[in-house]
Amino acid sequence: METEYRINKRGIIIMTTFSLFYAMLEAGMDWDPKQGLLSPLNNCSSLYFYRFLYTALFLYPSYLASRKLFSLLTIWYFVYGSLAEDILYWIIMFKPPYSWSWFYKTGG
């Protein structure tokens, strides 16, 4: 099953599987920049380091799924994998998306 944009079953399986494993890994780690794994870095550095790490980790399976280093298809798989990982993480944690994250501001 392939569309005109060449999004195929193989790519969806690769990204969904990677997203599931990453969601399980992330559920077991404390990424809070004030007390978690990134706490040795300052707050601003840890936010950028996590984003860099996340992007680097998700670009590799996106490349494998699209079979192209730089393309719109690679970006599409990256976005799909990121969204799938977030949704799977929320399901694993069994909490609303906004209740767990240190990233979202909770007040004032």
Side-chain angles (χ1 to χ4, degrees), residues 33-104:
K34 293 181 179 80
Q35 63 192 10
L37 292 172
L38 299 178
S39 60
L41 302 172
N42 70 33
N43 193 23
C44 186
S45 298
S46 66
L47 292 173
Y48 289 113
F49 180 72
Y50 176 76
R51 284 181 178 84
F52 172 77
L53 181 67
Y54 185 89
T55 302
L57 287 173
F58 269 83
L59 279 176
Y60 184 68
S62 299
Y63 159 72
L64 292 177
S66 69
R67 297 181 178 149
K68 295 177 183 166
L69 190 55
F70 298 108
S71 72
L72 288 177
L73 188 58
T74 305
I75 294 169
W76 187 93
Y77 280 123
F78 175 82
V79 171
Y80 168 77
S82 298
L83 289 173
E85 186 273 327
D86 282 343
I87 292 166
L88 291 167
Y89 178 82
W90 300 331
I91 291 169
I92 290 169
M93 296 302 286
F94 200 62
K95 293 181 181 177
Y98 53 84
S99 67
W100 53 267
S101 181
W102 49 265
F103 182 77
Y104 296 111

Side-chain angles (χ1 to χ4, degrees), residues 19-37:
S19 297
L20 176 63
F21 284 114
Y22 191 86
M24 289 187 297
L25 176 71
E26 195 172 57
M29 294 185 170
D30 184 6
W31 292 103
D32 189 337
K34 293 181 179 80
Q35 63 192 10
L37 292 172

